[in-house]
Amino acid sequence: MGWREEIAKTKPLFMTIYVTVVIGIVFSAFYVFSAIYSSGTASSAPSTSSWWFPTAASHVDSPPLDQTPNSTQPTAVSVVLVPAPQPQSKLMKPIWEVPPSGSKMPPLKTFRLTKELVQQRVKDNIVVVTFGNYAFMDFILTWVKHLTDLGLDNVLVGAMDTKLLEALYWKGVPVFDMGSHMSTVDVGWGSPTFHKMGREKVILIDSILPFGYELLMCDTDMVWLKNPLPYLARFPEADVLTSTDQVIPTVVDDRLDIWQQVGAAYNIGIFHWRPTDPAKKLAKEWKDMLLADDKIWDQNGFNELVHRQLGPSVDADSGLVYAYDGNLKLGLLPASIFCSGHTYFVQAMHQQLRLEPYAVHTTFQYAGTEGKRHRLREGMVFYDPPEYYDSPGGFLSFKPSIPKSLFLDGKHNIESHFSLINYQTKQIRTALAIASLLNRTLVMPPLWCRLDRLWFPHPGVLAGTITRQPFLCPLDHVFEVNVMLKEMDEEEFGPGINLREYSFFDNPLMPKQVKESWLDVQLCQEGSQNCNVSNSTSPLGVLKFPKRSNEETFKSVFSSFKDVKVIQFSSMQDAFLGFTDKKREERFRHRVKRYVGIWCCVENHSPGHIYYDMYWDEKPGWKPAPPQTPQDDHPPW
């Protein structure tokens, strides 16, 4: 028999083997994929019926478990071994599932912190926790919403007052009573109540760790942008993983920060604890330290303890370091992707390094809680109720105009920085006046800075950081956001002026009916072709409007467009002559003079801050300079 006959004879056998192998490979691949997916997928939670909850999909949605590298750079394919999923608690209720209509509030003792209560929210032996009082309700709802958007429901919120506990319960948010009975109002940084909140955090950690669960503890003024649990699982030997205030990158990928190069404080706003003996020992000593001395700030106490012994490295590869008592294994989360308010909003470090951020914490910011809220709104990661996006009086915006010379030319120094800022504030001042006149909410323009703002002397941009110049700076770098949003006596300061963040119209939560109700206003030179006082628009819906118009002209023309949601001016240069009513003009000036803050701080000078001046252009020869005497150290009003 020839070789062709032999092959023909065995061909059916080869085909059978081939088909069997292929089918086996397909089923094996399907099995592995199913195991990987099911191990990381959280139980489904229905959409909320809560009043504030956005109906559109979040712009930060991502798969429940992202096993891809945190980089846009090509990487080699590797096999990921995923542990078998642990059974989820049968008692875990879906988040945002509100109690049945007509039901009563359970007794307070139902919400006591017990192992059984925590166990109801644990998945894969980990629970994600934050806490706060009623003043931070919107921060907490935003925090929970981001996590549920990411497919995480092993979430628990500690309520420091009964008002918050009840409010969260009726919204379907898992909550427990911290027994603090704190005030429901906002507390300022550094106040006695602020320090009390810090002690509550430490007591909470010390209480939960003995239950045997991993704890991802977070402050309420941060949001999750990507599921962090796969990242934390990369370091199974770590007892504690903590964020830091590091602003100089020590790595350019998603490894842990190099502990020998981190000189900034370890920030306890984001940190992960495993229920190991070293971690429990640290938590207990930390708690005892703070309870023994109410003057110690909780973060300083933590830093003091873990720096008691720092080093050597645990091994050559993980990035972990022995700390505290020489037995605790500590890891420093990279500041480029577990972002501070500086690395995210000022340096945009994750963008420059082409990394995906896991979180942003509103540190390195000004203007208190209002400043934090506005920062998150600028980043389009804060959830507001629908009425925030559809103000009854409508919105006013404008296209800022900045000469290239102010933007890029010359050295980046105090003089060029103030020239750039002053040019922008003059336009904003005009826009505020028109918004007040038309009773519209002003959408702030993007604000550009040449120099960073910090609370200590610096050369303009910190050496070693990757801050670009100029950079899109947060509003609170120049403006007192808390003052702008505060209610003032109208008799002295005139009517309030509402504002929105520069990214407002880009927010996916913006209603379609608002974006489609739009009027473009093109400023023109009076006397030029088609430039006259009229409420007639062009076929393209553009209104030509004369520059240097007075109060009466604005009122008569724009009264015809009171039902238009958005009026956008092509510019604010010479748009408005000023109020006819001098009393109103005086009140407006009293108000907006208080809207701007300080730049800080000049090196080798005390005090080193320089006041911004909303009416700088009315003072011939005005120059940016720090106060020369204690008597000069006051705002320009």
Side-chain angles (χ1 to χ4, degrees), residues 265-287:
Y266 302 164
N267 190 293
I268 61 174
I270 307 171
F271 58 172
H272 174 249
W273 294 68
R274 286 194 171 89
T276 60
D277 288 339
K280 287 187 279 190
K281 179 183 176 184
L282 171 61
K284 185 179 185 308
E285 185 171 353
W286 186 20
K287 181 193 72 173

Side-chain angles (χ1 to χ4, degrees), residues 560-576:
S560 303
F561 300 101
K562 64 179 183 299
D563 293 329
V564 175
K565 296 290 186 182
V566 183
I567 296 177
Q568 178 171 266
F569 280 74
S570 61
S571 173
M572 278 293 154
Q573 298 285 3
D574 302 320
F576 182 45

Side-chain angles (χ1 to χ4, degrees), residues 464-587:
T465 63
I466 54 176
T467 304
R468 294 167 291 189
Q469 290 179 295
F471 64 95
L472 184 61
C473 58
L475 188 67
D476 61 67
H477 269 211
V478 175
F479 286 84
E480 297 290 309
V481 179
N482 54 326
V483 175
M484 299 177 83
L485 297 175
K486 183 175 70 173
E487 286 191 20
M488 297 185 188
D489 178 24
E490 286 199 23
E491 185 62 33
E492 184 177 357
F493 301 105
I497 309 167
N498 291 325
L499 67 109
R500 295 292 186 268
E501 64 279 5
Y502 73 85
S503 57
F504 185 66
F505 295 125
D506 296 325
N507 198 310
L509 300 178
M510 174 64 59
K512 182 180 178 182
Q513 68 268 19
V514 173
K515 290 193 285 189
E516 291 182 350
S517 180
W518 193 285
L519 174 68
D520 281 310
V521 178
Q522 182 75 47
L523 290 183
C524 56
Q525 195 66 42
E526 190 172 13
S528 62
Q529 186 176 6
N530 299 324
C531 186
N532 48 61
V533 177
S534 169
N535 56 13
S536 300
T537 61
S538 71
L540 296 177
V542 176
L543 174 70
K544 288 213 162 192
F545 188 74
K547 291 182 178 181
R548 291 176 289 278
S549 291
N550 59 28
E551 181 176 341
E552 287 71 23
T553 302
F554 268 89
K555 286 181 177 178
S556 63
V557 170
F558 290 103
S559 62
S560 303
F561 300 101
K562 64 179 183 299
D563 293 329
V564 175
K565 296 290 186 182
V566 183
I567 296 177
Q568 178 171 266
F569 280 74
S570 61
S571 173
M572 278 293 154
Q573 298 285 3
D574 302 320
F576 182 45
L577 276 179
F579 295 99
T580 305
D581 183 341
K582 294 307 174 184
K583 182 66 175 176
R584 180 166 187 176
E585 172 83 30
E586 181 183 351
R587 290 170 177 168

Side-chain angles (χ1 to χ4, degrees), residues 99 173 194 196 208 239 256 293 438 510 561 595 597:
V173 174
F194 173 85
K196 177 175 170 53
I208 293 178
D239 298 302
L256 292 176
D293 186 349
L438 302 181
M510 174 64 59
F561 300 101
Y595 279 9

